[in-house]
C-alpha cells in the first residue's frame, strides 16, 4: 500500500491554478520591479515598484501553497481572494481611466483574474468536502 495516496482531481485543479498564479505573479513582479513606471512621477514609480514586490512575493507564496497543497486550508481562499481583488482593481482602473491598448492583452489579464478565483474556491471546497466525507466514513468503520 502506498503511503502517498493519489491526489483528488479537485485538489490537483487547485494546485495547477496556484502554480499558474505563481508563475504570472513571479514573472510579472520581477518584470515590473525592473521596468518600474518610467513615464510618471518618482512618487508613482516608487509605489509601482513597491507593489511589484508585493506581487512577486504573492507569487512565491502561491508557489509554496501549490507545492504543499495537501496541508493548505484557509491560505488557498486568501490567495484566491487576492487574485479576485486584483481583477476588481483592474476593473476599477478600466472604468476610471479606460482600457489600455492593446485591449485584447488587458482583457486577457482581466478575464482569468475574475474567473480563476471562483475555480480555485470551488475546487478547494470540493476537496475539503471530499476529505471530510472520507474522515466521516473512516470514523463509522
Amino acid at each position: 500500500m502506498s503511503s502517498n495516496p493519489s491526489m483528488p482531481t479537485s485538489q490537483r485543479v487547485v494546485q495547477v491554478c496556484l502554480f499558474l498564479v505563481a508563475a504570472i505573479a513571479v514573472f510579472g513582479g520581477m518584470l515590473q520591479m525592473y521596468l518600474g513606471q518610467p513615464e510618471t512621477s518618482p512618487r508613482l514609480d516608487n509605489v509601482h515598484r513597491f507593489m511589484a514586490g508585493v506581487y512577486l512575493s504573492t507569487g512565491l507564496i502561491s508557489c509554496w501553497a501549490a507545492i504543499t497543497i495537501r496541508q493548505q486550508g484557509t491560505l488557498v481562499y486568501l490567495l484566491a481572494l487576492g487574485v479576485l481583488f486584483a481583477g476588481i482593481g483592474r476593473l476599477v482602473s478600466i472604468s476610471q481611466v479606460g482600457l489600455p491598448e492593446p485591449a485584447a492583452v488587458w482583457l486577457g489579464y482581466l478575464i482569468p483574474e475574475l474567473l480563476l478565483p471562483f475555480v480555485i474556491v470551488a475546487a478547494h471546497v470540493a476537496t475539503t468536502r471530499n476529505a471530510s466525507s472520507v474522515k466521516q466514513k473512516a470514523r463509522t468503520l
Side-chain angles (χ1 to χ4, degrees):
M1 189 156 138
S2 174
S3 63
N4 193 7
S6 65
M7 186 179 294
T9 303
S10 58
Q11 194 169 49
R12 184 67 70 189
V13 167
V14 174
Q15 186 180 47
V16 169
C17 288
L18 287 174
F19 276 131
L20 180 61
V21 168
I24 292 166
V26 167
F27 176 74
M30 289 187 329
L31 182 64
Q32 292 306 310
M33 185 75 74
Y34 173 75
L35 294 176
Q37 185 58 38
E39 298 176 19
T40 191
S41 70
R43 177 182 161 272
L44 291 179
D45 180 71
N46 184 283
V47 171
H48 187 87
R49 290 179 200 256
F50 171 83
M51 293 310 300
V54 172
Y55 193 29
L56 173 59
S57 66
T58 300
L60 297 175
I61 294 167
S62 296
C63 185
W64 176 79
I67 291 168
T68 61
I69 191 64
R70 291 178 190 263
Q71 292 82 42
Q72 297 309 322
T74 304
L75 179 60
V76 172
Y77 297 118
L78 293 172
L79 289 168
L81 184 64
V83 173
L84 181 63
F85 281 168
I88 291 169
R90 198 178 298 278
L91 272 177
V92 170
S93 174
I94 290 168
S95 73
Q96 296 292 314
V97 297
L99 184 61
E101 292 294 329
V105 169
W106 297 98
L107 292 173
Y109 294 152
L110 175 64
I111 293 167
E113 289 166 350
L114 296 176
L115 295 178
L116 204 55
F118 293 100
V119 171
I120 292 170
V121 167
H124 198 55
V125 165
T127 300
T128 305
R129 283 188 183 154
N130 184 35
S132 294
S133 174
V134 169
K135 285 180 185 176
Q136 194 73 303
K137 285 180 186 176
R139 285 185 197 143
T140 60
L141 294 178

